[in-house]
Amino acid sequence: MNLDSMALDAGLPTLRQLELLAALPGASSIAAAGAKIGMSASATSHALRALETTLGCEVVDRMAAGVVLTHAGEAALSHARDVFASLQQVKSVAGASRGLHTGLLRIGSIGPSTSLRLLPPLLEKFRRRHPGVEVHVTERADPDIEQDLVERKVEIGVVRLPQPSLDTVALATDELVAVLPQDHPLAKGATVSVRDLAEYPLILTQAGSQDMILGMFDRAGLRPKVAHELFQLVSILEFVAHGNGVSVLAGLSLPEQPRAGIVIRPITPRVARRVAIACLDAARLSPAGRAFWELARREGPARTATPRD
């Protein structure tokens, strides 16, 4: 007898029904949520009705536009996610008994700041110590990484501090810097003020630090002259080098050897963020997650990005 049959016999939701519930947030429709987990439209409808019958209440608000969970649905969703986290723990016990020779670790990264400078040295050490563990890194915007942690899509994520609801290990302090064409008037000074930056066309990143950059101008009572909005770091550096504007980027997102034709300057007043790895509960990490967590805690001491030419 499988787990779903046992659940039905006990009058409990099945794992398949809970999997559908977990797929509903963010889906464009109920059918789309079912499709994400390989269910047909009819099977999705049947599973949702069966779940609501078992719980004795509706979990989806049929009167709302899009897919909106009821209060009961939100409460059930939290427990459903705990069920799957517990099942992962059961699996981890078996893995721990065999030693850390296999496994899968999913990590969320907030972009170049962590993918270029912070994660590679840690991942290199981790691979040497645990070559049988598969590591999958996904780059997402800051709020998406936090949501992925809550939804258990990643086990460990890189986040900005503070994060009072998560367990964290500080990795670095990242500072916003001005990225300028080599012959730009602002490049002559040792630092660049936020007010001076607002006078020139801005190439704004669409990556994770965008809200931090816009907040910097907003706190100064300024509105930047956004000329271009680009996602790729290499595109931003090319645009700056060819004189299409100035940019503001997180210091850790820049390569060790900057592209020719640009200069980096500190910004005044200073704007910094603290970066950390995070998880929902360090005590409940899988063996692979625990090994990476301890590695980062021991060998990933906090560092500060320093502007450089």
Side-chain angles (χ1 to χ4, degrees):
M1 181 178 292
N2 60 34
L3 290 177
D4 278 353
S5 297
M6 293 172 64
L8 287 172
D9 289 346
L12 299 172
T14 67
L15 289 178
R16 195 63 167 153
Q17 291 166 4
L18 294 180
E19 188 179 12
L20 173 60
L21 177 61
L24 287 170
S28 58
S29 66
I30 294 173
K36 284 197 300 185
I37 59 174
M39 296 178 71
S40 66
S42 60
T44 298
S45 179
H46 175 76
L48 183 59
R49 286 198 306 270
L51 174 63
E52 291 179 326
T53 298
T54 300
L55 296 178
C57 60
E58 291 188 344
V59 298
V60 176
D61 184 353
R62 266 74 168 185
M63 301 300 292
V67 179
V68 178
L69 296 184
T70 63
H71 177 74
E74 291 285 357
L77 173 64
S78 176
H79 292 298
R81 287 171 173 164
D82 286 339
V83 167
F84 289 111
S86 295
L87 289 173
Q88 183 60 47
Q89 285 296 111
V90 171
K91 183 178 178 181
S92 297
V93 170
S97 67
R98 297 191 305 268
L100 195 54
H101 303 304
T102 62
L104 172 64
L105 175 60
R106 296 187 183 277
I107 299 175
S109 168
I110 54 176
S113 295
T114 52
S115 299
L116 284 177
R117 306 283 295 283
L118 299 179
L119 284 179
L122 288 174
L123 291 173
E124 183 180 5
K125 292 175 182 176
F126 185 80
R127 282 196 304 270
R128 284 202 304 264
R129 298 177 188 184
H130 311 289
V133 176
E134 179 183 354
V135 179
H136 182 83
V137 177
T138 302
E139 280 191 356
R140 302 259 281 164
D142 300 30
D144 295 329
I145 294 297
E146 294 161 25
Q147 188 62 29
D148 286 350
L149 282 167
V150 171
E151 296 179 1
R152 276 76 169 183
K153 293 179 180 178
V154 298
E155 187 173 10
I156 290 175
V158 183
V159 299
R160 285 189 287 180
L161 294 174
Q163 293 288 344
S165 63
L166 300 173
D167 288 346
T168 58
V169 172
L171 290 181
T173 298
D174 199 3
E175 185 174 336
L176 291 183
V177 294
V179 184
L180 311 167
Q182 195 168 27
D183 57 355
H184 195 277
L186 296 182
K188 298 175 182 177
T191 62
V192 176
S193 72
V194 175
R195 186 165 298 278
D196 285 341
L197 281 171
E199 296 297 320
Y200 294 91
L202 179 70
I203 302 166
L204 180 65
T205 176
Q206 289 188 319
S209 56
Q210 185 185 77
D211 61 338
M212 186 178 171
I213 295 166
L214 294 176
M216 174 187 73
F217 286 105
D218 186 61
R219 286 190 297 274
L222 302 168
R223 178 173 294 182
K225 299 177 179 178
V226 178
H228 309 282
E229 294 185 64
L230 305 177
F231 188 82
Q232 297 293 334
L233 175 65
V234 65
S235 302
I236 295 172
L237 297 181
E238 285 297 316
F239 268 55
V240 171
H242 286 88
N244 292 299
V246 301
S247 190
V248 177
L249 296 171
L252 286 173
S253 71
L254 297 170
E256 292 284 356
Q257 297 298 324
R259 185 203 184 283
I262 66 171
V263 295
I264 312 299
R265 294 289 183 265
I267 296 173
T268 55
R270 179 175 179 262
V271 181
R273 64 178 179 179
R274 292 187 298 145
V275 180
I277 62 166
C279 69
L280 290 176
D281 184 352
R284 298 183 65 186
L285 287 169
S286 69
R290 167 60 61 182
F292 186 84
W293 187 267
E294 291 301 322
L295 175 67
R297 190 175 61 82
R298 293 191 309 270
E299 303 187 31
R303 56 188 289 187
T304 301
T306 54
R308 58 205 177 282
D309 288 342

